[in-house]
Amino acid sequence: MKMSHENKKSCKRKRNKIISFRATEEEAELLDRKVEISGLTKQDYIISSLTSPPVSIKADYRLEDKFALEIFRLAKVVKKYGRLEEEDQEILRFLIEIYYEIKKEKSL
C-alpha cells in the first residue's frame, strides 16, 4: 500500500539512512524475484523481512498472477531438467510459505 504525501508527514518517521550492499548476480536475482512475487517494493520487502519475519503479503489478483507465473516457470524447469537448482528451490520454498499464509488468511 502506497502512502500519500500527507500520510508520510503524519507518520513522522525519518528514513534518513541509506543502506547498500553487494550481492552475487544469483543473490540479486533471487531477491528481485522474491520482491516481485511479494508485490512489495524492494525497500518494504527488506525492511519487513528484517523487522517482522516472515514477510507479510496481502493476497490480491496481481499476487495470484505472479504466483501462478512463477509456479509455471518452475514446473517448466523441472520438466526440462528433472530437478531445481538451489536458487529455484529457495523460490519454491518462498512460494510455499506464501501459499500457506494465503490459505491461513482465507480460513479465518
Side-chain angles (χ1 to χ4, degrees), residues 15-90:
R15 286 193 169 156
N16 57 357
K17 297 290 183 187
I18 297 173
I19 299 172
S20 62
F21 57 93
R22 294 188 180 276
T24 65
E25 188 68 32
E26 293 80 19
E27 292 165 339
E29 288 174 11
L30 180 61
L31 176 60
D32 289 342
R33 289 210 323 248
K34 284 186 170 187
V35 167
E36 184 179 341
I37 292 167
S38 74
L40 302 171
T41 65
K42 190 176 284 188
Q43 174 180 314
D44 289 340
Y45 177 83
I46 292 170
I47 290 171
S48 182
S49 67
L50 292 171
T51 58
S52 58
V55 175
S56 176
I57 297 170
K58 283 279 193 198
D60 65 4
Y61 71 93
R62 290 176 300 240
L63 176 66
E64 291 172 8
D65 289 347
K66 290 176 188 175
F67 195 86
L69 288 172
E70 196 62 28
I71 290 289
F72 286 123
R73 186 192 70 78
L74 291 172
K76 285 181 188 177
V77 171
V78 170
K79 186 175 181 180
K80 185 173 182 178
Y81 299 107
R83 65 181 185 85
L84 294 174
E85 295 293 326
E86 189 172 328
E87 180 181 311
D88 284 332
Q89 289 176 20
E90 177 65 28

Side-chain angles (χ1 to χ4, degrees), residues 88-102:
D88 284 332
Q89 289 176 20
E90 177 65 28
I91 290 295
L92 182 57
R93 281 190 288 274
F94 184 63
L95 291 170
I96 291 169
E97 288 174 22
I98 293 170
Y99 171 77
Y100 283 119
E101 284 300 313
I102 292 170

